[in-house]
Every structure is written in structure tokens, then in C-alpha cells.
Amino acid sequence: MKYPIRWFLGASCILSVGVGTAIALRMMYWPCGRWETESGCVASVRLQTQALGFEEDTVQVNFRSFDLSTGADTVLVGLGGVRQDSSGQNRYYAVLALFDARNGTLIREIRAIKGNVRAVWQDGDDTGARTVEIALSPDGQLAASYGMGEGENRLLVQQTSDGQIVKEFPRGDPDDENLVNNCISQLDFTADSRSLQCGSVLYDLDNRNYTSLSDSNGNYKFPRAADFHGGRYALAPDGTRFDRDGIVQPSGAQFPLESDLKVLDDVGNLAFSPNSQLVLEVRSNRYSARGFRRLIPSPFRRLSGIAVWNREAELQHLFFANQRYDEVAWSRDSEFFALLSQNLTLQTFRAPSLKEE
């Protein structure tokens, strides 16, 4: 061969580029246990929504519509997308569905809410149907969802085995947006699965009785069944408050917070574990990479930061991910938490054990 060194160098470069590209693409959905051993990841799957009949490019996760079962075996997800109705029209639907968290397969569609036909929602960007808060009971037998759509605006409790309605709580005129605020960020079952908290009201599922969870001045009573999870602050079931400045316990004790996630844009979710012992902080970079960062392949960018804190604002765990996670959820036994992105990637993690000083 006339130029063996040149041929060798050329072949090496091509091979390196090929291998590097393959690794970069594979890292977008890299399975747990490879390069993420420190994250505590126990499952990494993509939800398989084909059986729901949606057009693939229209599927999206509804806001605040994600919950994880005890033991992290299943996930309850509120999804939206376009599919045909009974008359053959392409229409937007909001769907409540149960998936296997270990492999992403669809177990069952539980609820479907009819929205606008394609021409209407594409023109005005109003889908006309959505789930705005959902919850899975600790025993896994019941699913609660607040949904709005064509002809309905109500909170339903259904059996996860067949979708049969156990309890219905209508909320009046479907066009009244204020009515939906009752449950947002505060919907959950009690530990015995026999009562359901919606906002500041606790409903008994065995009868029509209910209990107010706030006093005459509108202040919360604790403990509660649900935490309050938001982007700016979170409130644990026992009343512990977490925000970007620190943690305030029910006793009044304050613990300042030094978060390593301030390097990311202030977009994300905060959520307490059901036992009020840990709080999950997820921050994502909302903007596209600029400058030299555009040259970095997306699998290598830090698009999300995930931190777990204890009640004394002590960092228990910190890691970064290459995807933007929009939804977070804790299992009811507080042993696991899960993250869900808009591209339907679900990652489940084992909660860290509390560190002893």
C-alpha cells in the first residue's frame, strides 16, 4: 500500500466519529446501571402509547398529571393527543392511562375526555380537553382525576381494574376556569385509600361526608393527605415548607438552603415525599443552548438538575440529566420517585437513605 499511514489515520478518524455518534445517540435513552450508577436509577423506559390510537406527533403529557404507585411498579399518566372519534372526525382527547413503570407498556386506558376537532384546536391552540391533576391510591385500586372537556368538568374516582366510576364530584359549568383551581397541586388519597383530598377538602369515599382542611381564616390544618407541589415552593403533608431560600418546619425552625441548582434557569418542580421527610427539587434549562454550548451534543448537556433534600435542608443526593423533565412524582411509600419528560421518557429512582451526621 502506497500510503499506509494516511489510510490508517483516515480509517481511525472515521471509526472514531462513528463510534462517538453512536454513543451520543444511545445516551439519549441510556438504560439504568451503565453510566448513571450514582443516580439511583432503577428503570428507564419510554411510555408505549400506540394502543391509545393517537397520532404520534400530537401526544403530550398533561400538566400535573403524573403519579407513581406504591413500590413503583405502575404509573398513572394524563396524556393528550389527536385520534378519531366515533364519527370518524380527528379530535383532541385527554386520556388517563395506567402504564407498567418497568417496561413502559400500556396496562389500561381508564378515562377519555373529548375535546375540540383538529381544525378548532390547531387554529386557536385550545385543545378543549385536559386532565389537570391526578392521583393513584396507595393500594393501587383507585385512580382520581380532575378533567375538563366537552360537556364535563368534574373530579372522578375510578377503579384501575376496569375504569368503573366509584365516585363523581361535579364542579358546575365546564367553562368556569376558576372551578378547576380546587384540586390543582393538591389531590391525593389518604393512606388507607378510603378518603380523597381535593384542595382544602377531604372527601370520604364511603359516603357523602367531607371535612374542611382549613380553619375559619383560610389557614391549612395539618397533617394533610396531599402535599402542595409547585415551581416556587412546596408544602409537605405535615406542614413543612420548602422554597429556594430554605426550609421552615412546623415548629418554626428555619434552615437556609444553598442549592447547586441555581446555575440552571428557574423552571421546574418541587415535591415532598408522602412521609414529609424528603423533598425533591427538579430544575431545567428552558432555553436552547447558546454560543459554544451549541457545539456540545445534546446528550452531553446538563438540561436538568435533580436534588433531594431532607427536612434540615441537608443535601442527600444530587445528579444531572440530559433531558428536560416536566413532571415529577413520589411513590406513596416514599421509597421511589420518578421523572417524566414530554418525549414520554420515564425514569424511576430509588430515594436516598437519610444520611446520618
Side-chain angles (χ1 to χ4, degrees):
M1 189 175 293
K2 190 174 181 180
Y3 303 108
I5 296 179
R6 293 182 181 179
W7 280 101
F8 176 76
L9 292 176
S12 298
C13 289
I14 294 173
L15 180 62
S16 298
V17 171
V19 171
T21 301
I23 291 176
L25 293 174
R26 187 68 183 92
M27 281 180 63
M28 292 297 290
Y29 304 101
W30 205 271
C32 297
R34 295 292 184 87
W35 290 357
E36 292 190 26
T37 55
E38 298 300 318
S39 69
C41 186
V42 296
S44 180
V45 300
R46 194 170 192 274
L47 299 184
Q48 301 172 28
T49 60
Q50 297 87 341
L52 295 174
F54 289 137
E55 296 179 8
E56 186 173 355
D57 60 347
T58 66
V59 182
Q60 59 184 358
V61 180
N62 288 330
F63 184 62
R64 302 287 189 229
S65 295
F66 179 45
D67 204 6
L68 185 63
S69 69
T70 300
D73 294 328
T74 59
V75 288
L76 187 67
V77 184
L79 299 164
V82 174
R83 68 184 187 188
Q84 286 190 346
D85 61 16
S86 57
S87 65
Q89 287 192 95
N90 288 329
R91 183 182 294 272
Y92 191 92
Y93 279 86
V95 167
L96 183 67
L98 191 68
F99 293 86
D100 190 316
R102 297 161 296 187
N103 55 35
T105 56
L106 175 68
I107 297 175
R108 187 169 295 104
E109 178 182 316
I110 297 175
R111 182 182 184 183
I113 305 170
K114 184 184 294 186
N116 290 327
V117 295
R118 178 193 292 274
V120 173
W121 77 263
Q122 282 189 330
D123 181 55
D125 199 29
D126 181 7
T127 61
R130 58 192 171 119
T131 55
V132 292
E133 190 73 21
I134 67 175
L136 188 60
S137 65
D139 60 13
Q141 296 182 18
L142 299 175
S145 60
Y146 201 123
M148 301 177 66
E150 186 177 282
E152 69 172 294
N153 175 18
R154 55 183 177 162
L155 170 65
L156 289 184
V157 179
Q158 299 169 268
Q159 293 181 357
T160 55
S161 59
D162 55 11
Q164 181 178 342
I165 296 176
V166 175
K167 206 82 169 179
E168 176 183 356
F169 303 91
R171 283 289 187 252
D173 188 335
D175 294 326
D176 187 349
E177 287 288 336
N178 292 324
L179 296 175
V180 79
N181 292 330
N182 290 317
C183 292
I184 285 183
S185 299
Q186 296 184 92
L187 181 68
D188 213 342
F189 290 87
T190 52
D192 60 7
S193 301
R194 298 180 63 179
S195 299
L196 179 72
Q197 179 187 337
C198 170
S200 59
V201 178
L202 185 67
Y203 295 99
D204 190 326
L205 299 180
D206 294 330
N207 50 54
R208 302 187 66 87
N209 296 335
Y210 66 90
T211 304
S212 175
L213 297 175
S214 59
D215 60 24
S216 57
N217 296 319
N219 299 314
Y220 289 147
K221 297 178 183 178
F222 298 101
R224 297 159 63 87
D227 71 312
F228 176 86
H229 44 274
R232 291 180 296 175
Y233 76 95
L235 199 61
D238 72 349
T240 303
R241 180 187 171 97
F242 177 96
D243 59 31
R244 300 210 77 181
D245 295 322
I247 287 180
V248 180
Q249 295 184 359
S251 63
Q254 300 184 28
F255 301 89
L257 180 71
E258 292 295 333
S259 177
D260 293 326
L261 301 186
K262 292 182 179 179
V263 296
L264 298 173
D265 293 306
D266 190 9
V267 179
N269 283 298
L270 308 172
F272 267 97
S273 59
N275 63 8
S276 303
Q277 297 302 306
L278 296 171
V279 61
L280 180 66
E281 178 187 15
V282 180
R283 299 291 173 183
S284 297
N285 187 342
R286 81 170 89 183
Y287 303 108
S288 300
R290 299 175 181 175
F292 77 93
R293 288 197 299 171
R294 293 179 63 88
L295 302 177
I296 304 176
S298 60
F300 297 98
R301 298 179 193 153
R302 289 183 169 185
L303 297 183
S304 293
I306 298 93
V308 183
W309 305 86
N310 67 10
R311 291 165 53 83
E312 287 76 40
E314 296 168 336
L315 184 64
Q316 303 296 293
H317 196 48
L318 173 68
F319 63 98
F320 292 88
N322 58 10
Q323 297 198 49
R324 294 181 180 90
Y325 289 105
D326 303 287
E327 301 298 330
V328 304
W330 282 91
S331 63
R332 281 309 303 262
D333 55 11
S334 301
E335 294 291 330
F336 301 90
F337 63 88
L339 309 174
L340 182 63
S341 68
Q342 277 297 339
N343 68 4
L344 304 181
T345 297
L346 169 72
Q347 288 198 311
T348 307
F349 303 82
R350 185 175 297 278
S353 301
L354 290 173
K355 296 179 182 178
E356 296 182 2
E357 298 298 324

Short mmCIF file of all heavy atoms in Angstrom, two decimals, residues 9 14 20 41 68 111 113 130 141 155 166 170 189 209 241-242 266 268 271 274 283 317 321-322 324-325 331 352 357:
data_model
loop_
_atom_site.label_atom_id
_atom_site.label_comp_id
_atom_site.label_asym_id
_atom_site.label_seq_id
_atom_site.Cartn_x
_atom_site.Cartn_y
_atom_site.Cartn_z
N LEU A 9 -4.76 6.49 9.46
CA LEU A 9 -5.27 7.66 10.18
C LEU A 9 -6.69 8.00 9.73
O LEU A 9 -7.56 8.35 10.52
CB LEU A 9 -4.33 8.85 9.98
CG LEU A 9 -2.96 8.74 10.64
CD1 LEU A 9 -2.10 9.95 10.28
CD2 LEU A 9 -3.09 8.62 12.15
N ILE A 14 -12.60 8.05 10.87
CA ILE A 14 -13.96 7.69 10.52
C ILE A 14 -14.57 6.78 11.59
O ILE A 14 -15.72 6.95 12.00
CB ILE A 14 -13.98 6.98 9.14
CG1 ILE A 14 -13.58 7.97 8.05
CG2 ILE A 14 -15.36 6.40 8.86
CD1 ILE A 14 -13.42 7.33 6.69
N GLY A 20 -18.39 7.64 18.26
CA GLY A 20 -18.82 8.78 19.07
C GLY A 20 -20.26 9.16 18.79
O GLY A 20 -21.03 9.45 19.72
N CYS A 41 -30.96 5.24 39.72
CA CYS A 41 -31.96 4.89 38.71
C CYS A 41 -32.20 3.38 38.70
O CYS A 41 -31.26 2.59 38.67
CB CYS A 41 -31.47 5.36 37.34
SG CYS A 41 -32.67 5.14 36.02
N LEU A 68 -47.16 7.93 40.83
CA LEU A 68 -46.40 6.68 40.90
C LEU A 68 -46.99 5.79 41.98
O LEU A 68 -47.33 6.25 43.07
CB LEU A 68 -44.94 7.01 41.23
CG LEU A 68 -43.91 5.88 41.24
CD1 LEU A 68 -43.77 5.25 39.86
CD2 LEU A 68 -42.56 6.43 41.71
N ARG A 111 -59.78 6.65 31.49
CA ARG A 111 -60.74 7.74 31.25
C ARG A 111 -60.38 8.45 29.95
O ARG A 111 -59.19 8.64 29.66
CB ARG A 111 -60.72 8.73 32.42
CG ARG A 111 -61.70 9.89 32.29
CD ARG A 111 -61.58 10.84 33.48
NE ARG A 111 -62.58 11.90 33.43
CZ ARG A 111 -62.68 12.90 34.29
NH1 ARG A 111 -61.81 12.97 35.31
NH2 ARG A 111 -63.61 13.81 34.18
N ILE A 113 -61.54 11.99 27.73
CA ILE A 113 -62.29 13.24 27.74
C ILE A 113 -62.22 13.85 26.35
O ILE A 113 -61.14 14.13 25.83
CB ILE A 113 -61.71 14.22 28.78
CG1 ILE A 113 -61.65 13.55 30.16
CG2 ILE A 113 -62.55 15.49 28.84
CD1 ILE A 113 -60.89 14.34 31.19
N ARG A 130 -58.54 18.36 28.91
CA ARG A 130 -57.29 18.15 29.65
C ARG A 130 -57.59 17.54 31.02
O ARG A 130 -58.69 17.71 31.57
CB ARG A 130 -56.51 19.45 29.82
CG ARG A 130 -57.27 20.55 30.55
CD ARG A 130 -56.55 21.89 30.43
NE ARG A 130 -57.36 22.98 30.94
CZ ARG A 130 -57.03 23.77 31.95
NH1 ARG A 130 -55.88 23.58 32.57
NH2 ARG A 130 -57.80 24.76 32.33
N GLN A 141 -55.77 0.46 43.66
CA GLN A 141 -57.07 0.05 43.14
C GLN A 141 -57.90 1.20 42.61
O GLN A 141 -58.87 0.98 41.86
CB GLN A 141 -57.84 -0.69 44.22
CG GLN A 141 -57.18 -1.99 44.67
CD GLN A 141 -57.99 -2.74 45.70
OE1 GLN A 141 -59.19 -2.48 45.88
NE2 GLN A 141 -57.36 -3.67 46.40
N LEU A 155 -64.45 15.91 38.94
CA LEU A 155 -63.48 15.03 39.58
C LEU A 155 -64.08 13.64 39.66
O LEU A 155 -65.18 13.46 40.18
CB LEU A 155 -63.16 15.56 40.98
CG LEU A 155 -62.35 14.66 41.91
CD1 LEU A 155 -60.94 14.44 41.36
CD2 LEU A 155 -62.27 15.28 43.31
N VAL A 166 -66.38 5.06 40.70
CA VAL A 166 -66.71 4.80 42.09
C VAL A 166 -67.37 6.01 42.72
O VAL A 166 -68.30 5.90 43.51
CB VAL A 166 -65.43 4.43 42.88
CG1 VAL A 166 -65.73 4.27 44.36
CG2 VAL A 166 -64.81 3.16 42.32
N PRO A 170 -69.06 16.56 40.56
CA PRO A 170 -69.18 17.60 39.52
C PRO A 170 -68.83 18.96 40.08
O PRO A 170 -69.05 19.24 41.26
CB PRO A 170 -70.65 17.51 39.11
CG PRO A 170 -71.33 16.92 40.30
CD PRO A 170 -70.35 15.99 40.94
N PHE A 189 -54.90 10.61 47.87
CA PHE A 189 -55.65 9.73 48.75
C PHE A 189 -54.99 9.67 50.12
O PHE A 189 -53.79 9.87 50.26
CB PHE A 189 -55.69 8.31 48.17
CG PHE A 189 -56.53 8.16 46.93
CD1 PHE A 189 -55.98 8.40 45.68
CD2 PHE A 189 -57.86 7.77 47.03
CE1 PHE A 189 -56.75 8.24 44.54
CE2 PHE A 189 -58.63 7.62 45.89
CZ PHE A 189 -58.08 7.86 44.64
N ASN A 209 -69.85 12.34 53.17
CA ASN A 209 -69.31 13.26 54.16
C ASN A 209 -68.00 13.88 53.67
O ASN A 209 -67.26 13.28 52.88
CB ASN A 209 -69.05 12.53 55.48
CG ASN A 209 -70.33 12.03 56.11
OD1 ASN A 209 -71.41 12.56 55.87
ND2 ASN A 209 -70.23 10.96 56.90
N ARG A 241 -42.39 23.61 54.96
CA ARG A 241 -42.36 24.39 53.71
C ARG A 241 -40.94 24.42 53.14
O ARG A 241 -39.96 24.58 53.88
CB ARG A 241 -42.84 25.82 53.96
CG ARG A 241 -42.83 26.71 52.70
CD ARG A 241 -43.15 28.16 53.03
NE ARG A 241 -42.95 29.04 51.90
CZ ARG A 241 -43.90 29.45 51.07
NH1 ARG A 241 -45.15 29.06 51.28
NH2 ARG A 241 -43.63 30.26 50.06
N PHE A 242 -40.85 24.29 51.82
CA PHE A 242 -39.57 24.32 51.11
C PHE A 242 -39.65 25.33 49.98
O PHE A 242 -40.61 25.33 49.20
CB PHE A 242 -39.25 22.93 50.55
CG PHE A 242 -37.99 22.86 49.73
CD1 PHE A 242 -36.80 22.44 50.30
CD2 PHE A 242 -37.98 23.21 48.39
CE1 PHE A 242 -35.64 22.36 49.56
CE2 PHE A 242 -36.82 23.13 47.62
CZ PHE A 242 -35.65 22.71 48.22
N ASP A 266 -34.71 29.09 36.41
CA ASP A 266 -35.67 28.82 37.47
C ASP A 266 -36.97 28.26 36.89
O ASP A 266 -38.01 28.90 36.87
CB ASP A 266 -35.95 30.10 38.25
CG ASP A 266 -36.77 29.82 39.50
OD1 ASP A 266 -36.96 28.65 39.84
OD2 ASP A 266 -37.21 30.79 40.13
N GLY A 268 -39.10 24.47 36.99
CA GLY A 268 -39.05 23.10 37.48
C GLY A 268 -40.15 22.78 38.45
O GLY A 268 -41.19 23.43 38.48
N ALA A 271 -41.38 18.83 45.16
CA ALA A 271 -42.39 17.91 45.67
C ALA A 271 -41.87 17.19 46.90
O ALA A 271 -40.76 16.64 46.88
CB ALA A 271 -42.80 16.91 44.60
N PRO A 274 -44.40 11.60 50.58
CA PRO A 274 -45.60 11.48 51.41
C PRO A 274 -45.32 11.41 52.90
O PRO A 274 -46.17 11.83 53.71
CB PRO A 274 -46.23 10.16 50.91
CG PRO A 274 -45.79 10.08 49.49
CD PRO A 274 -44.39 10.63 49.47
N ARG A 283 -34.86 21.11 38.49
CA ARG A 283 -34.71 22.36 37.73
C ARG A 283 -34.25 22.05 36.32
O ARG A 283 -33.39 21.20 36.12
CB ARG A 283 -33.69 23.28 38.41
CG ARG A 283 -34.06 23.70 39.82
CD ARG A 283 -35.25 24.63 39.84
NE ARG A 283 -35.72 24.89 41.20
CZ ARG A 283 -36.79 25.62 41.49
NH1 ARG A 283 -37.50 26.15 40.51
NH2 ARG A 283 -37.16 25.81 42.74
N HIS A 317 -28.80 13.98 47.93
CA HIS A 317 -28.44 13.41 46.64
C HIS A 317 -28.52 14.50 45.57
O HIS A 317 -29.40 15.36 45.61
CB HIS A 317 -29.38 12.27 46.29
CG HIS A 317 -28.88 11.37 45.20
ND1 HIS A 317 -27.61 10.86 45.17
CD2 HIS A 317 -29.50 10.89 44.09
CE1 HIS A 317 -27.47 10.11 44.10
NE2 HIS A 317 -28.60 10.11 43.43
N ALA A 321 -29.13 15.46 34.45
CA ALA A 321 -29.66 14.63 33.38
C ALA A 321 -29.62 15.40 32.07
O ALA A 321 -29.54 16.63 32.05
CB ALA A 321 -31.09 14.20 33.70
N ASN A 322 -29.70 14.65 30.97
CA ASN A 322 -29.60 15.27 29.65
C ASN A 322 -30.97 15.49 29.01
O ASN A 322 -31.06 15.68 27.80
CB ASN A 322 -28.72 14.42 28.72
CG ASN A 322 -29.25 13.00 28.56
OD1 ASN A 322 -30.36 12.70 28.98
ND2 ASN A 322 -28.46 12.14 27.95
N ARG A 324 -35.08 17.40 29.65
CA ARG A 324 -35.90 18.32 30.43
C ARG A 324 -37.08 17.53 30.99
O ARG A 324 -37.91 17.03 30.26
CB ARG A 324 -36.40 19.47 29.56
CG ARG A 324 -35.30 20.39 29.05
CD ARG A 324 -35.87 21.53 28.21
NE ARG A 324 -34.82 22.39 27.72
CZ ARG A 324 -34.18 22.23 26.58
NH1 ARG A 324 -34.50 21.20 25.80
NH2 ARG A 324 -33.23 23.05 26.19
N TYR A 325 -37.13 17.44 32.30
CA TYR A 325 -38.20 16.70 32.95
C TYR A 325 -39.29 17.67 33.39
O TYR A 325 -39.05 18.59 34.16
CB TYR A 325 -37.67 15.91 34.13
CG TYR A 325 -36.82 14.73 33.71
CD1 TYR A 325 -35.44 14.76 33.84
CD2 TYR A 325 -37.41 13.60 33.17
CE1 TYR A 325 -34.67 13.67 33.45
CE2 TYR A 325 -36.65 12.52 32.78
CZ TYR A 325 -35.29 12.56 32.91
OH TYR A 325 -34.53 11.49 32.52
N SER A 331 -43.57 7.76 45.00
CA SER A 331 -44.41 6.62 45.35
C SER A 331 -44.98 6.85 46.74
O SER A 331 -44.38 7.53 47.57
CB SER A 331 -43.60 5.32 45.31
OG SER A 331 -42.56 5.35 46.28
N PRO A 352 -32.93 8.23 48.20
CA PRO A 352 -31.73 8.02 49.03
C PRO A 352 -32.12 7.80 50.49
O PRO A 352 -33.12 8.34 50.97
CB PRO A 352 -30.95 9.32 48.85
CG PRO A 352 -31.98 10.34 48.53
CD PRO A 352 -33.01 9.61 47.71
N GLU A 357 -25.50 12.29 60.39
CA GLU A 357 -24.32 13.11 60.63
C GLU A 357 -23.45 12.48 61.71
O GLU A 357 -23.95 11.92 62.67
CB GLU A 357 -24.72 14.53 61.04
CG GLU A 357 -25.50 15.26 59.96
CD GLU A 357 -24.72 15.45 58.68
OE1 GLU A 357 -23.48 15.67 58.78
OE2 GLU A 357 -25.30 15.38 57.59
#
